[in-house]
């Protein structure tokens, strides 16, 4: 199997980086690692994401094979989102980045404030 080249502007790996580098996709992965969730649960847990953007993110992640969408024949219909094996494989890398962000947020904000005063 050929591997991609992220430094080649024509390589589709750039599309993959865009998907996993998107803050909403990363947060969806972090939410779903604990198991399936409904749309309203995801929206409440993530906070700050509009329904439209969350819908777009979930559709794109489903298209990329990162999660599945299961509709249950109930009234009202129930829909659950679950990570695929491919989506679960992102948990480690995304968790490390999220932990780094939480550990360094104060230093980053301090540097931004310092730079803004220049």
């Amino acid at each position: 199997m050929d591997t991609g080249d992220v430094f080649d502007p024509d390589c589709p790996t750039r599309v993959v980086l865009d998907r996993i580098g998107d803050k909403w996709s990363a947060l969806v992965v972090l939410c779903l690692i604990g198991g399936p969730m409904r749309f309203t649960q995801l929206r409440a847990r993530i906070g700050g994401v509009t329904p439209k953007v969350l819908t777009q993110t979930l559709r794109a992640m489903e298209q990329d094979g990162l999660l599945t969408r299961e509709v249950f024949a109930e009234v009202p219909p129930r829909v659950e989102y679950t990570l695929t094996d491919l989506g679960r494989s992102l948990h480690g890398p995304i968790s490390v980045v999220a932990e780094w962000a939480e550990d360094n947020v104060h230093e980053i904000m301090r540097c931004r404030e310092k730079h803004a005063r220049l």
Side-chain angles (χ1 to χ4, degrees), residues 7-60:
F7 295 103
D8 178 354
D10 297 321
C11 183
T13 53
R14 299 250 178 131
V15 175
V16 175
L17 283 176
D18 285 344
R19 171 71 50 238
I20 63 175
D22 171 65
K23 70 179 172 182
W24 303 120
S25 296
L27 292 172
V28 167
V29 169
L30 292 172
C31 286
L32 292 179
I33 200 63
M37 292 181 84
R38 296 173 74 173
F39 183 90
T40 53
Q41 293 172 307
L42 282 167
R43 187 164 173 239
R45 176 69 178 114
I46 292 172
V49 63
T50 65
K52 178 183 176 183
V53 170
L54 182 56
T55 298
Q56 290 170 339
T57 300
L58 292 168
R59 284 181 183 158

Short mmCIF file of all heavy atoms in Angstrom, two decimals, residues 7-60:
data_model
loop_
_atom_site.label_atom_id
_atom_site.label_comp_id
_atom_site.label_asym_id
_atom_site.label_seq_id
_atom_site.Cartn_x
_atom_site.Cartn_y
_atom_site.Cartn_z
N PHE A 7 3.44 16.78 2.36
CA PHE A 7 4.08 17.97 1.80
C PHE A 7 3.81 18.15 0.32
O PHE A 7 4.16 19.16 -0.27
CB PHE A 7 5.58 17.94 2.08
CG PHE A 7 5.88 18.04 3.55
CD1 PHE A 7 6.25 16.93 4.27
CD2 PHE A 7 5.75 19.25 4.23
CE1 PHE A 7 6.50 17.01 5.63
CE2 PHE A 7 5.99 19.34 5.59
CZ PHE A 7 6.36 18.22 6.29
N ASP A 8 3.15 17.16 -0.30
CA ASP A 8 2.76 17.26 -1.70
C ASP A 8 1.38 17.93 -1.76
O ASP A 8 0.40 17.39 -1.26
CB ASP A 8 2.69 15.87 -2.32
CG ASP A 8 2.23 15.87 -3.77
OD1 ASP A 8 1.84 16.95 -4.29
OD2 ASP A 8 2.24 14.79 -4.38
N PRO A 9 1.30 19.13 -2.36
CA PRO A 9 0.02 19.85 -2.37
C PRO A 9 -1.09 19.12 -3.12
O PRO A 9 -2.26 19.42 -2.92
CB PRO A 9 0.35 21.18 -3.04
CG PRO A 9 1.63 20.97 -3.76
CD PRO A 9 2.36 19.86 -3.05
N ASP A 10 -0.74 18.15 -3.94
CA ASP A 10 -1.75 17.41 -4.69
C ASP A 10 -2.13 16.09 -4.01
O ASP A 10 -2.97 15.35 -4.53
CB ASP A 10 -1.24 17.11 -6.11
CG ASP A 10 -1.01 18.40 -6.89
OD1 ASP A 10 -1.82 19.33 -6.75
OD2 ASP A 10 -0.02 18.45 -7.64
N CYS A 11 -1.54 15.81 -2.87
CA CYS A 11 -1.81 14.55 -2.19
C CYS A 11 -3.07 14.67 -1.32
O CYS A 11 -3.24 15.64 -0.58
CB CYS A 11 -0.62 14.16 -1.32
SG CYS A 11 -0.84 12.57 -0.51
N PRO A 12 -3.95 13.68 -1.38
CA PRO A 12 -5.18 13.72 -0.59
C PRO A 12 -4.95 13.68 0.93
O PRO A 12 -5.89 13.88 1.69
CB PRO A 12 -5.96 12.48 -1.04
CG PRO A 12 -5.24 11.92 -2.20
CD PRO A 12 -3.90 12.53 -2.28
N THR A 13 -3.73 13.42 1.37
CA THR A 13 -3.49 13.43 2.81
C THR A 13 -3.80 14.80 3.41
O THR A 13 -4.14 14.90 4.59
CB THR A 13 -2.04 13.06 3.17
OG1 THR A 13 -1.15 13.90 2.44
CG2 THR A 13 -1.76 11.61 2.87
N ARG A 14 -3.74 15.83 2.60
CA ARG A 14 -4.09 17.18 3.09
C ARG A 14 -5.56 17.24 3.49
O ARG A 14 -5.93 17.89 4.45
CB ARG A 14 -3.78 18.24 2.04
CG ARG A 14 -2.31 18.30 1.66
CD ARG A 14 -1.68 19.56 2.17
NE ARG A 14 -0.27 19.61 1.85
CZ ARG A 14 0.33 20.66 1.29
NH1 ARG A 14 -0.37 21.71 0.95
NH2 ARG A 14 1.62 20.65 1.09
N VAL A 15 -6.41 16.53 2.75
CA VAL A 15 -7.83 16.47 3.07
C VAL A 15 -8.01 15.75 4.41
O VAL A 15 -8.82 16.16 5.25
CB VAL A 15 -8.62 15.76 1.95
CG1 VAL A 15 -10.08 15.58 2.32
CG2 VAL A 15 -8.49 16.52 0.64
N VAL A 16 -7.25 14.68 4.61
CA VAL A 16 -7.32 13.93 5.86
C VAL A 16 -6.87 14.82 7.02
O VAL A 16 -7.52 14.86 8.07
CB VAL A 16 -6.47 12.65 5.78
CG1 VAL A 16 -6.44 11.93 7.13
CG2 VAL A 16 -6.98 11.73 4.68
N LEU A 17 -5.80 15.55 6.84
CA LEU A 17 -5.33 16.46 7.89
C LEU A 17 -6.36 17.54 8.20
O LEU A 17 -6.55 17.90 9.36
CB LEU A 17 -4.00 17.12 7.49
CG LEU A 17 -2.77 16.25 7.62
CD1 LEU A 17 -1.54 17.00 7.09
CD2 LEU A 17 -2.54 15.81 9.05
N ASP A 18 -7.02 18.03 7.17
CA ASP A 18 -8.08 19.02 7.40
C ASP A 18 -9.19 18.43 8.28
O ASP A 18 -9.69 19.09 9.18
CB ASP A 18 -8.70 19.49 6.08
CG ASP A 18 -7.81 20.46 5.32
OD1 ASP A 18 -6.86 21.00 5.93
OD2 ASP A 18 -8.07 20.68 4.13
N ARG A 19 -9.56 17.18 8.01
CA ARG A 19 -10.64 16.55 8.78
C ARG A 19 -10.23 16.35 10.23
O ARG A 19 -10.93 16.74 11.14
CB ARG A 19 -11.01 15.18 8.16
CG ARG A 19 -11.96 14.35 9.00
CD ARG A 19 -13.38 14.88 9.05
NE ARG A 19 -13.83 15.13 7.71
CZ ARG A 19 -14.26 16.33 7.27
NH1 ARG A 19 -14.35 17.35 8.08
NH2 ARG A 19 -14.62 16.50 6.03
N ILE A 20 -9.07 15.75 10.46
CA ILE A 20 -8.70 15.45 11.84
C ILE A 20 -8.19 16.68 12.58
O ILE A 20 -8.20 16.71 13.80
CB ILE A 20 -7.68 14.29 11.94
CG1 ILE A 20 -6.36 14.64 11.26
CG2 ILE A 20 -8.29 13.02 11.38
CD1 ILE A 20 -5.29 13.60 11.42
N GLY A 21 -7.80 17.71 11.83
CA GLY A 21 -7.35 18.95 12.46
C GLY A 21 -8.49 19.90 12.78
O GLY A 21 -8.31 20.89 13.49
N ASP A 22 -9.67 19.60 12.28
CA ASP A 22 -10.85 20.41 12.54
C ASP A 22 -11.25 20.25 14.00
O ASP A 22 -11.37 19.12 14.49
CB ASP A 22 -11.99 19.96 11.62
CG ASP A 22 -13.31 20.59 11.97
OD1 ASP A 22 -13.43 21.82 11.82
OD2 ASP A 22 -14.22 19.85 12.40
N LYS A 23 -11.44 21.36 14.71
CA LYS A 23 -11.73 21.26 16.15
C LYS A 23 -12.99 20.48 16.44
O LYS A 23 -13.06 19.74 17.43
CB LYS A 23 -11.78 22.63 16.80
CG LYS A 23 -12.97 23.48 16.41
CD LYS A 23 -12.93 24.80 17.15
CE LYS A 23 -14.01 25.74 16.65
NZ LYS A 23 -13.96 27.03 17.32
N TRP A 24 -14.00 20.60 15.60
CA TRP A 24 -15.25 19.90 15.87
C TRP A 24 -15.07 18.40 15.69
O TRP A 24 -15.59 17.62 16.49
CB TRP A 24 -16.38 20.44 14.99
CG TRP A 24 -16.58 21.91 15.16
CD1 TRP A 24 -16.48 22.87 14.19
CD2 TRP A 24 -16.90 22.63 16.37
NE1 TRP A 24 -16.71 24.12 14.72
CE2 TRP A 24 -16.97 24.00 16.06
CE3 TRP A 24 -17.10 22.24 17.69
CZ2 TRP A 24 -17.25 24.98 17.01
CZ3 TRP A 24 -17.38 23.22 18.64
CH2 TRP A 24 -17.46 24.57 18.29
N SER A 25 -14.35 17.98 14.67
CA SER A 25 -14.11 16.54 14.46
C SER A 25 -13.33 15.95 15.63
O SER A 25 -13.65 14.87 16.12
CB SER A 25 -13.33 16.30 13.16
OG SER A 25 -14.08 16.70 12.04
N ALA A 26 -12.33 16.67 16.08
CA ALA A 26 -11.54 16.20 17.22
C ALA A 26 -12.41 16.06 18.46
O ALA A 26 -12.32 15.06 19.19
CB ALA A 26 -10.37 17.15 17.48
N LEU A 27 -13.27 17.02 18.70
CA LEU A 27 -14.15 16.96 19.87
C LEU A 27 -15.17 15.84 19.76
O LEU A 27 -15.50 15.18 20.76
CB LEU A 27 -14.83 18.31 20.09
CG LEU A 27 -13.87 19.44 20.52
CD1 LEU A 27 -14.60 20.78 20.52
CD2 LEU A 27 -13.26 19.15 21.88
N VAL A 28 -15.66 15.57 18.55
CA VAL A 28 -16.59 14.46 18.35
C VAL A 28 -15.89 13.14 18.68
O VAL A 28 -16.45 12.28 19.37
CB VAL A 28 -17.16 14.44 16.91
CG1 VAL A 28 -17.86 13.13 16.60
CG2 VAL A 28 -18.12 15.62 16.70
N VAL A 29 -14.66 12.97 18.22
CA VAL A 29 -13.90 11.76 18.53
C VAL A 29 -13.76 11.60 20.04
O VAL A 29 -14.00 10.52 20.60
CB VAL A 29 -12.51 11.75 17.85
CG1 VAL A 29 -11.63 10.63 18.39
CG2 VAL A 29 -12.66 11.62 16.34
N LEU A 30 -13.39 12.68 20.73
CA LEU A 30 -13.22 12.61 22.18
C LEU A 30 -14.54 12.27 22.88
O LEU A 30 -14.54 11.53 23.87
CB LEU A 30 -12.65 13.93 22.71
CG LEU A 30 -11.22 14.23 22.29
CD1 LEU A 30 -10.82 15.64 22.72
CD2 LEU A 30 -10.25 13.21 22.87
N CYS A 31 -15.65 12.76 22.37
CA CYS A 31 -16.96 12.45 22.96
C CYS A 31 -17.36 11.00 22.73
O CYS A 31 -17.85 10.33 23.64
CB CYS A 31 -18.04 13.35 22.38
SG CYS A 31 -18.00 15.03 22.97
N LEU A 32 -17.17 10.52 21.52
CA LEU A 32 -17.68 9.20 21.15
C LEU A 32 -16.79 8.05 21.60
O LEU A 32 -17.19 6.89 21.49
CB LEU A 32 -17.90 9.11 19.64
CG LEU A 32 -19.02 9.97 19.08
CD1 LEU A 32 -19.12 9.80 17.56
CD2 LEU A 32 -20.34 9.63 19.75
N ILE A 33 -15.61 8.34 22.12
CA ILE A 33 -14.74 7.25 22.55
C ILE A 33 -15.37 6.44 23.68
O ILE A 33 -15.11 5.25 23.84
CB ILE A 33 -13.32 7.75 22.93
CG1 ILE A 33 -12.32 6.60 22.88
CG2 ILE A 33 -13.32 8.47 24.26
CD1 ILE A 33 -12.14 5.98 21.52
N GLY A 34 -16.27 7.07 24.42
CA GLY A 34 -16.94 6.38 25.51
C GLY A 34 -18.12 5.54 25.06
O GLY A 34 -18.73 4.85 25.87
N GLY A 35 -18.48 5.62 23.80
CA GLY A 35 -19.60 4.84 23.28
C GLY A 35 -20.54 5.72 22.48
O GLY A 35 -20.34 6.93 22.33
N PRO A 36 -21.59 5.11 21.95
CA PRO A 36 -22.54 5.83 21.09
C PRO A 36 -23.19 7.00 21.81
O PRO A 36 -23.41 6.96 23.02
CB PRO A 36 -23.59 4.78 20.73
CG PRO A 36 -22.96 3.47 21.03
CD PRO A 36 -21.97 3.70 22.11
N MET A 37 -23.50 8.03 21.04
CA MET A 37 -24.20 9.20 21.57
C MET A 37 -25.21 9.69 20.54
O MET A 37 -25.01 9.52 19.34
CB MET A 37 -23.23 10.33 21.91
CG MET A 37 -22.32 10.05 23.08
SD MET A 37 -21.21 11.43 23.45
CE MET A 37 -22.28 12.43 24.47
N ARG A 38 -26.24 10.32 21.05
CA ARG A 38 -27.22 10.96 20.19
C ARG A 38 -26.77 12.38 19.87
O ARG A 38 -25.90 12.94 20.54
CB ARG A 38 -28.58 10.97 20.87
CG ARG A 38 -29.11 9.55 21.10
CD ARG A 38 -30.35 9.52 21.90
NE ARG A 38 -31.46 9.98 21.06
CZ ARG A 38 -32.72 9.94 21.44
NH1 ARG A 38 -33.05 9.48 22.63
NH2 ARG A 38 -33.66 10.38 20.64
N PHE A 39 -27.37 12.95 18.84
CA PHE A 39 -27.02 14.30 18.38
C PHE A 39 -27.10 15.31 19.53
O PHE A 39 -26.19 16.10 19.74
CB PHE A 39 -27.95 14.72 17.24
CG PHE A 39 -27.62 16.05 16.65
CD1 PHE A 39 -26.74 16.16 15.59
CD2 PHE A 39 -28.21 17.21 17.15
CE1 PHE A 39 -26.43 17.40 15.03
CE2 PHE A 39 -27.90 18.46 16.61
CZ PHE A 39 -27.02 18.55 15.55
N THR A 40 -28.22 15.28 20.27
CA THR A 40 -28.40 16.25 21.35
C THR A 40 -27.37 16.07 22.45
O THR A 40 -26.93 17.05 23.05
CB THR A 40 -29.82 16.17 21.95
OG1 THR A 40 -30.10 14.82 22.33
CG2 THR A 40 -30.87 16.64 20.95
N GLN A 41 -26.97 14.84 22.71
CA GLN A 41 -25.94 14.58 23.71
C GLN A 41 -24.59 15.14 23.24
O GLN A 41 -23.87 15.76 24.03
CB GLN A 41 -25.79 13.08 23.97
CG GLN A 41 -26.98 12.44 24.63
CD GLN A 41 -26.84 10.92 24.67
OE1 GLN A 41 -26.61 10.28 23.65
NE2 GLN A 41 -26.99 10.37 25.87
N LEU A 42 -24.28 14.92 21.98
CA LEU A 42 -23.03 15.46 21.43
C LEU A 42 -23.01 16.98 21.50
O LEU A 42 -22.03 17.59 21.93
CB LEU A 42 -22.85 15.02 19.97
CG LEU A 42 -22.36 13.61 19.74
CD1 LEU A 42 -22.54 13.21 18.29
CD2 LEU A 42 -20.91 13.48 20.16
N ARG A 43 -24.10 17.58 21.07
CA ARG A 43 -24.18 19.05 21.06
C ARG A 43 -24.04 19.62 22.46
O ARG A 43 -23.32 20.61 22.68
CB ARG A 43 -25.48 19.50 20.43
CG ARG A 43 -25.53 20.99 20.25
CD ARG A 43 -26.63 21.42 19.30
NE ARG A 43 -26.70 22.85 19.33
CZ ARG A 43 -27.78 23.54 19.67
NH1 ARG A 43 -28.90 22.91 19.95
NH2 ARG A 43 -27.75 24.85 19.70
N ALA A 44 -24.68 18.99 23.43
CA ALA A 44 -24.59 19.47 24.81
C ALA A 44 -23.19 19.28 25.37
O ALA A 44 -22.66 20.16 26.06
CB ALA A 44 -25.60 18.73 25.68
N ARG A 45 -22.56 18.16 25.06
CA ARG A 45 -21.22 17.87 25.59
C ARG A 45 -20.17 18.78 24.97
O ARG A 45 -19.28 19.27 25.65
CB ARG A 45 -20.88 16.40 25.34
CG ARG A 45 -19.49 15.99 25.76
CD ARG A 45 -19.37 16.01 27.27
NE ARG A 45 -18.05 15.58 27.67
CZ ARG A 45 -17.17 16.37 28.28
NH1 ARG A 45 -17.46 17.62 28.55
NH2 ARG A 45 -16.00 15.91 28.61
N ILE A 46 -20.26 19.00 23.68
CA ILE A 46 -19.25 19.82 22.99
C ILE A 46 -19.41 21.29 23.36
O ILE A 46 -18.44 21.97 23.64
CB ILE A 46 -19.32 19.61 21.46
CG1 ILE A 46 -18.87 18.19 21.13
CG2 ILE A 46 -18.47 20.63 20.73
CD1 ILE A 46 -19.06 17.78 19.69
N GLY A 47 -20.60 21.80 23.35
CA GLY A 47 -20.82 23.20 23.69
C GLY A 47 -20.24 24.15 22.65
O GLY A 47 -19.13 23.97 22.18
N GLY A 48 -21.03 25.14 22.27
CA GLY A 48 -20.56 26.16 21.34
C GLY A 48 -20.69 25.81 19.87
O GLY A 48 -20.43 26.65 19.01
N VAL A 49 -21.07 24.60 19.55
CA VAL A 49 -21.22 24.21 18.15
C VAL A 49 -22.69 24.37 17.77
O VAL A 49 -23.58 23.99 18.52
CB VAL A 49 -20.73 22.75 17.90
CG1 VAL A 49 -21.55 21.73 18.65
CG2 VAL A 49 -20.69 22.44 16.41
N THR A 50 -22.92 24.95 16.61
CA THR A 50 -24.30 25.12 16.14
C THR A 50 -24.80 23.78 15.60
O THR A 50 -24.01 22.94 15.16
CB THR A 50 -24.39 26.18 15.03
OG1 THR A 50 -23.67 25.71 13.88
CG2 THR A 50 -23.84 27.52 15.49
N PRO A 51 -26.11 23.59 15.59
CA PRO A 51 -26.65 22.35 15.02
C PRO A 51 -26.21 22.14 13.57
O PRO A 51 -25.89 21.02 13.17
CB PRO A 51 -28.16 22.53 15.12
CG PRO A 51 -28.36 23.50 16.24
CD PRO A 51 -27.16 24.42 16.18
N LYS A 52 -26.18 23.21 12.79
CA LYS A 52 -25.79 23.10 11.38
C LYS A 52 -24.36 22.61 11.24
O LYS A 52 -24.07 21.70 10.46
CB LYS A 52 -25.95 24.46 10.69
CG LYS A 52 -25.52 24.46 9.24
CD LYS A 52 -25.64 25.83 8.61
CE LYS A 52 -25.11 25.81 7.18
NZ LYS A 52 -25.15 27.13 6.56
N VAL A 53 -23.46 23.20 12.01
CA VAL A 53 -22.04 22.82 11.92
C VAL A 53 -21.83 21.40 12.44
O VAL A 53 -21.06 20.63 11.86
CB VAL A 53 -21.15 23.84 12.66
CG1 VAL A 53 -19.72 23.35 12.78
CG2 VAL A 53 -21.19 25.18 11.94
N LEU A 54 -22.52 21.03 13.52
CA LEU A 54 -22.38 19.67 14.03
C LEU A 54 -22.90 18.67 13.01
O LEU A 54 -22.27 17.63 12.77
CB LEU A 54 -23.10 19.52 15.37
CG LEU A 54 -22.99 18.14 16.02
CD1 LEU A 54 -21.53 17.72 16.23
CD2 LEU A 54 -23.74 18.12 17.36
N THR A 55 -24.03 18.97 12.38
CA THR A 55 -24.56 18.10 11.34
C THR A 55 -23.56 17.94 10.20
O THR A 55 -23.32 16.82 9.74
CB THR A 55 -25.91 18.64 10.81
OG1 THR A 55 -26.85 18.66 11.88
CG2 THR A 55 -26.44 17.81 9.65
N GLN A 56 -22.99 19.04 9.75
CA GLN A 56 -21.99 18.98 8.66
C GLN A 56 -20.78 18.15 9.08
O GLN A 56 -20.26 17.36 8.29
CB GLN A 56 -21.55 20.40 8.28
CG GLN A 56 -22.61 21.20 7.58
CD GLN A 56 -22.23 22.68 7.43
OE1 GLN A 56 -21.37 23.20 8.15
NE2 GLN A 56 -22.88 23.35 6.50
N THR A 57 -20.33 18.34 10.30
CA THR A 57 -19.17 17.61 10.81
C THR A 57 -19.46 16.11 10.87
O THR A 57 -18.66 15.29 10.41
CB THR A 57 -18.76 18.13 12.20
OG1 THR A 57 -18.44 19.52 12.10
CG2 THR A 57 -17.58 17.36 12.76
N LEU A 58 -20.62 15.75 11.42
CA LEU A 58 -20.99 14.34 11.53
C LEU A 58 -21.12 13.69 10.15
O LEU A 58 -20.66 12.56 9.94
CB LEU A 58 -22.28 14.19 12.33
CG LEU A 58 -22.16 14.55 13.81
CD1 LEU A 58 -23.55 14.64 14.44
CD2 LEU A 58 -21.28 13.57 14.56
N ARG A 59 -21.72 14.40 9.21
CA ARG A 59 -21.86 13.85 7.85
C ARG A 59 -20.50 13.64 7.20
O ARG A 59 -20.27 12.61 6.55
CB ARG A 59 -22.71 14.79 6.99
CG ARG A 59 -24.18 14.70 7.29
CD ARG A 59 -24.99 15.62 6.41
NE ARG A 59 -26.40 15.56 6.76
CZ ARG A 59 -27.28 16.50 6.49
NH1 ARG A 59 -26.91 17.58 5.84
NH2 ARG A 59 -28.54 16.36 6.85
N ALA A 60 -19.61 14.61 7.37
CA ALA A 60 -18.28 14.49 6.78
C ALA A 60 -17.50 13.34 7.42
O ALA A 60 -16.81 12.58 6.73
CB ALA A 60 -17.52 15.80 6.93
#
